[in-house]
Amino acid sequence: AESSAASDVYKRQPSIHLIAVDDLGLSGARRFDQVVARAYAYGLLALGWRSPDKRGGDVVLNPDLDREVHLEPDDQIVVIGST
């Protein structure tokens, strides 16, 4: 028989989300490994970031962990997580 905990995992399908930088308290200059650690503390896996359309809408995925990024409050972190 399948446990209820295992059953719950299957019901919550992980998917890709865009999370506001401010929601994770990540504004400012930092290395990507710091972004990954903060997202992980929220149960998320950070894949990269996205700037808003007014600043080009660039998406950066799978950057080096030691890459420095300056995150603005209107940037978004690309994550995988269950909601």
Side-chain angles (χ1 to χ4, degrees), residues 1-11:
E2 189 175 284
S3 75
S4 88
S7 176
D8 288 344
V9 169
Y10 292 115
K11 290 178 187 173

Side-chain angles (χ1 to χ4, degrees), residues 11-80:
K11 290 178 187 173
R12 296 179 300 155
Q13 295 297 316
S15 57
I16 295 176
H17 302 276
L18 296 171
I19 305 292
V21 164
D22 274 353
D23 288 349
L24 297 176
L26 287 170
S27 292
R30 57 191 66 243
R31 290 184 328 268
F32 188 62
D33 65 338
Q34 295 170 311
V35 174
V36 170
R38 179 68 59 93
Y40 187 77
Y42 286 88
L44 304 167
L45 174 62
L47 303 176
W49 61 88
R50 179 186 181 277
S51 64
D53 291 338
K54 66 184 176 189
R55 290 200 333 266
D58 295 330
V59 176
V60 176
L61 296 175
N62 198 28
D64 290 335
L65 289 174
D66 62 353
R67 179 169 174 180
E68 180 116 352
V69 59
H70 185 82
L71 297 169
E72 299 291 336
D74 55 350
D75 288 335
Q76 297 170 309
I77 305 300
V78 181
V79 300
I80 293 178

